[in-house]
Amino acid sequence: MKTNCVEARTAVLGVLLLAFLVGCGNGTSSGGPDATPPEVWKTLNGKEPLVTGHRGASGYLPEHTLASYTLAIEQGADFIEPDLVATKDGHLIARHEPEISTTTDVGSKPEFADRKTTKTVDGAPVEGFFASDFTLAEIKQLRAVQPRSYRPQEHNGKYEIPTLEEIIALAKQKSEETGRVIGIYPETKHPTYHADLGLPLEDKLLAALEQAGLTGEGAKVIIQSFEVGNLQYLRQKTSLPLVQLVDADGVALDGKIKLAPPHDKPYDFAKQNDPRTFADLLTDEGLTFVATYADGVSPWKRYIVSVEGVDANGDGEADDVNGDGTVDDADRKALAPTDLVTRAHAKGLFVHTWTFRSEGMFLAEDYGATPAAEYEVFYRLGIDGVFSDFPDEAVKARARLGL
């Protein structure tokens, strides 16, 4: 580890959070007389939580495009989040997965039809088109599409796939235009998969950040990963804040977290036959371990507030309570919060959680199809930051509770 790395990363984190919180202002709100603000924010540093545009403002525009990131910034997001995968010639581009058929128009390009293949990603076979089989020049011939059918489709085919360097340039440009520093929250996607291809992500990410002057004290960057080993490697190389993502496979009828491959544990743990699961990383012992290499933990929000279904017919499955033909979160009730945020804070770890979406299918019955009601629950618990597909809703809900 670099000399004084622990002290340095602590200082960087403090400057990072302070800069954003000052830049966001006090968040005074016209949210209405029923919006009783907390006496103090219960975040790790006592300041208001951060809002990250999840893949940009992906509820409105195709994800991981400069247009989506721009909209998130315009809506008040403190950070924009690029998921990073590698091209054949080693460039880092923003896609949610190495397989790109659901988020680009590659399937409509006859010149690339022979690229369709099956690869193993995190131990599971995946069929499709993979970024690692395309050069950057070829990737630039593609356009982004909206992968979720219930979201606007009229922007499909309009926007290029951006590189990390282009995203950094956008954040810098918008920082100058808005007068508030826009942060970058990159995720190294499937690092073991990329390393096995001879396309490791970590050093390329750090090199791009260094070239942009975003590695020293006050750099507005947080790096995240679902794997552990690459975060431990990054800890040796940088004092930038690091975040351990924590996944799951879903929730059971009673709201208990379900774990099943490949969402049961960090994939590097699976390759090493490490018995620990994602849930194990959130025990007191697990949080102590995470704190040895990371500054924060970012669990799926159901680890913090889960939901339970109704099983009227006794078949062991949640019922379609609202009769809309599907079983989703709108058919479930929110359970009492866990103590995860408090326990993580006691270990010195900030807690960011994901993903907040405004569609009714993602909102528990208790929230009355009102996104602000869900945000308020998490904000009052002391969450340090949220990832949202609709950053405008997250920002407005935060302002409504602001001091």
Side-chain angles (χ1 to χ4, degrees), residues 178-226:
T178 63
R180 60 187 183 91
V181 183
I182 308 302
I184 303 170
Y185 206 139
E187 179 187 344
T188 54
K189 297 296 293 190
H190 304 283
T192 294
Y193 163 84
H194 280 100
D196 289 346
L197 290 176
L199 295 168
L201 305 174
E202 296 79 15
D203 288 336
K204 291 183 180 297
L205 169 58
L206 293 180
L209 294 174
E210 183 173 3
Q211 185 174 12
L214 294 176
T215 56
E217 184 174 325
K220 308 306 184 289
V221 180
I222 303 174
I223 302 173
Q224 56 180 328
S225 178
F226 280 107

Side-chain angles (χ1 to χ4, degrees), residues 1-8 206 215 234-239:
M1 182 174 294
K2 288 184 176 181
T3 303
N4 295 325
C5 188
V6 173
E7 292 82 355
L206 293 180
T215 56
L234 285 165
R235 182 77 293 147
Q236 308 299 317
K237 299 286 186 174
T238 182
S239 59

Side-chain angles (χ1 to χ4, degrees), residues 12 16-17 21-22 31 35 40 49 71 118 121 142 146 157 197 202 209 214 230 242 248 284 328 334 339 372 380 399:
V12 168
L16 171 68
L17 293 177
L21 298 170
V22 171
V40 293
L71 181 57
T118 299
V121 182
L142 308 179
Q146 171 58 257
L197 290 176
E202 296 79 15
L209 294 174
L214 294 176
N230 75 313
L242 305 178
D284 286 343
D328 50 39
D339 63 353
R380 287 187 180 277

